[in-house]
Amino acid sequence: MTKQSISTISATLLLCALTTLSSCKKETKQAEMPKTEVAPKTVYASSVIPFFDQWKLILGDGSNAGIATDFENKDFFYTQNDGKDNWVVFKAPNGGDTHGTSNNTRTELAQTKKWYPETADDKLSATLKVMNVSATGDARVAASHAVVVGQIHSADAFENEPLKIFYKKYPGQTKGSVFWHYEINTAGDDNAKRWDYSSAVWGNDFSVVGSDANTFPAEPEDGIALGEEFSYNVVVKQGIMELTFTSPGHETKTFTKNLLQSEYATKADIPVQTQKLFFPIGQDGVERKEAYTGEGCFFKLGCYNQTNGKSPDVNKNWCSGAETHGGDIQKQYADGNYAEVWFKTGSISVNDKAVSNDGYFAKND
């Protein structure tokens, strides 16, 4: 082989080596370049349950977020997928700023229109599961460890509530209770004497409480567990409220209540349950004979936490003495001192005689 041939081969090999090295460097640079991550698309509650144009959203800090279309708040209101379905999450701490005159926080929808029981043809339905109730609270206080997941509220006069749907579960127990309340529309000018009558759906009613601050009553055999689905359907037509409660594996329960004629217009009409629970704290009023006739009413849906940090000495039925960490929301969320409710479906039907409910929001926002 000549010197010229050897020189040509050497030059060719050197060129190949340089080309290969350059190619490797390019590949290394390409491999080292960080991949651009695409942020997951936000799934808004209004895409999961498309009825948010009918409501204003009150948040767990007492603020009114208005119509919650394409809206989320990671502390109180957002969506969550459980591996099968998307759910709308409502969350409220034990302590913090509240809406209106209430002692309790809520993340809750309030209907933008009000309707009158005597001309009503209005409906509300929902499928939900309660994921958490407060970890603390005085067991003797009936409202401890409870949350309201649906309501009918009066917008007028005393703003009392002909319907509140509760879930309540004591710590350490697997099953909780579902029950509903009728609050009297108190006769006269003194609403301080108002009271609720509680009806059990599954498990116990409101009146079943602990024997002391740290002793719980027996777990209900036919109760509902945290994370277990149930549904309610509320119909008010021409003054009659009809309630239907369903849950897989549980007996369907139905109830009827007249909203135009009181059952509790005299002291003799007041139930024993009420006498035992409310009379000792001076709540022993009677209801006006026409009940909620003539008052604008509206639906609410969400998470109205019934546990708060006020002392039971103030009111032994409604003041829980629970942990609030001075209103620090994140600390409450960290140790279970909050209520959380997930909704999978919801629907509302409003009759054409309903009118604006702006007056209620003007008074309470």
Side-chain angles (χ1 to χ4, degrees):
M1 185 178 294
T2 64
K3 288 183 179 180
Q4 185 177 356
S5 298
I6 292 171
S7 178
T8 301
I9 292 170
S10 297
T12 301
L13 290 174
L14 180 59
L15 178 62
C16 288
L18 289 172
T19 301
T20 301
L21 182 60
S22 175
S23 175
C24 288
K25 284 182 179 179
K26 286 181 181 179
E27 288 177 4
T28 301
K29 285 182 180 180
Q30 288 175 355
E32 289 174 353
M33 287 179 64
K35 294 182 179 179
T36 302
E37 293 185 5
V38 178
K41 184 179 179 180
T42 300
V43 178
Y44 291 109
S46 51
S47 299
V48 178
I49 307 177
F51 69 166
F52 281 81
D53 58 340
Q54 302 275 355
W55 313 87
K56 290 187 178 180
L57 174 66
I58 308 303
L59 295 174
D61 60 3
S63 64
N64 185 340
I67 305 296
T69 302
D70 294 343
F71 173 83
E72 71 171 7
N73 180 300
K74 288 298 187 182
D75 283 334
F76 308 116
F77 178 79
Y78 51 93
T79 62
Q80 186 73 43
N81 189 286
D82 66 355
K84 181 180 178 183
D85 300 299
N86 286 322
W87 297 73
V88 181
V89 178
F90 295 75
K91 197 170 181 181
N94 287 354
D97 292 332
T98 63
H99 187 250
T101 60
S102 178
N103 290 320
N104 299 81
T105 66
R106 72 184 81 209
T107 298
E108 188 178 44
L109 298 172
Q111 195 179 355
T112 57
K113 290 188 175 182
K114 63 180 180 179
W115 38 266
Y116 294 86
E118 56 268 37
T119 58
D121 186 6
D122 298 80
K123 303 174 185 178
L124 174 67
S125 64
T127 297
L128 66 137
K129 54 186 179 182
V130 178
M131 304 302 287
N132 197 78
V133 290
S134 176
T136 62
D138 191 312
R140 298 168 298 180
V141 175
S144 292
H145 313 294
V147 60
V148 168
V149 299
Q151 297 188 63
I152 295 175
H153 203 289
S154 173
D156 302 324
F158 295 133
E159 298 185 0
N160 288 341
E161 299 151 327
L163 175 65
K164 287 175 285 189
I165 300 170
F166 286 75
Y167 176 86
K168 175 179 177 178
K169 189 193 77 68
Y170 286 100
Q173 297 185 356
T174 300
K175 296 179 181 178
S177 298
V178 176
F179 48 88
W180 68 275
H181 281 201
Y182 176 82
E183 181 179 52
I184 64 166
N185 203 12
T186 321
D189 297 325
D190 184 5
N191 196 42
K193 293 182 177 295
R194 73 191 186 277
W195 46 263
D196 291 19
Y197 180 74
S198 181
S199 299
V201 179
W202 302 294
N204 301 316
D205 63 40
F206 186 70
S207 66
V208 179
V209 296
S211 57
D212 59 56
N214 300 301
T215 302
F216 308 131
E219 182 174 331
E221 292 183 4
D222 63 336
I224 298 284
L226 289 176
E228 185 175 0
E229 288 185 35
F230 66 94
S231 302
Y232 60 75
N233 187 61
V234 181
V235 178
V236 182
K237 188 169 185 177
Q238 296 178 345
I240 304 300
M241 177 174 69
E242 296 183 351
L243 309 175
T244 304
F245 295 89
T246 58
S247 180
H250 295 271
E251 181 183 354
T252 296
K253 299 291 184 69
T254 60
F255 303 87
T256 302
K257 183 76 178 74
N258 191 325
L259 301 183
L260 305 180
Q261 297 177 10
S262 177
E263 298 175 60
Y264 313 116
T266 71
K267 290 277 189 181
D269 297 326
I270 299 177
V272 172
Q273 178 199 105
T274 298
Q275 294 178 31
K276 290 182 177 179
L277 201 61
F278 287 93
F279 278 23
I281 57 173
Q283 293 180 246
D284 58 355
V286 295
E287 185 170 37
R288 65 178 191 149
K289 291 181 180 179
E290 62 272 29
Y292 285 89
T293 303
E295 290 197 12
C297 294
F298 62 100
F299 292 121
K300 287 187 167 187
L301 173 151
C303 174
Y304 183 18
N305 191 353
Q306 296 299 289
T307 305
N308 59 48
K310 289 199 170 184
S311 170
D313 293 338
V314 176
N315 186 307
K316 75 170 189 178
N317 290 328
W318 299 109
C319 296
S320 305
E323 180 61 70
T324 65
H325 294 295
D328 188 312
I329 291 172
Q330 298 308 322
K331 286 184 178 179
Q332 292 176 77
Y333 288 173
D335 61 7
N337 284 293
Y338 64 95
E340 183 175 332
V341 186
W342 294 15
F343 284 82
K344 182 166 67 173
T345 65
S347 65
I348 186 172
S349 175
V350 185
N351 79 85
D352 58 9
K353 294 182 180 179
V355 298
S356 171
N357 197 23
D358 285 348
Y360 169 80
F361 296 107
K363 284 187 291 183
N364 290 281
D365 285 351

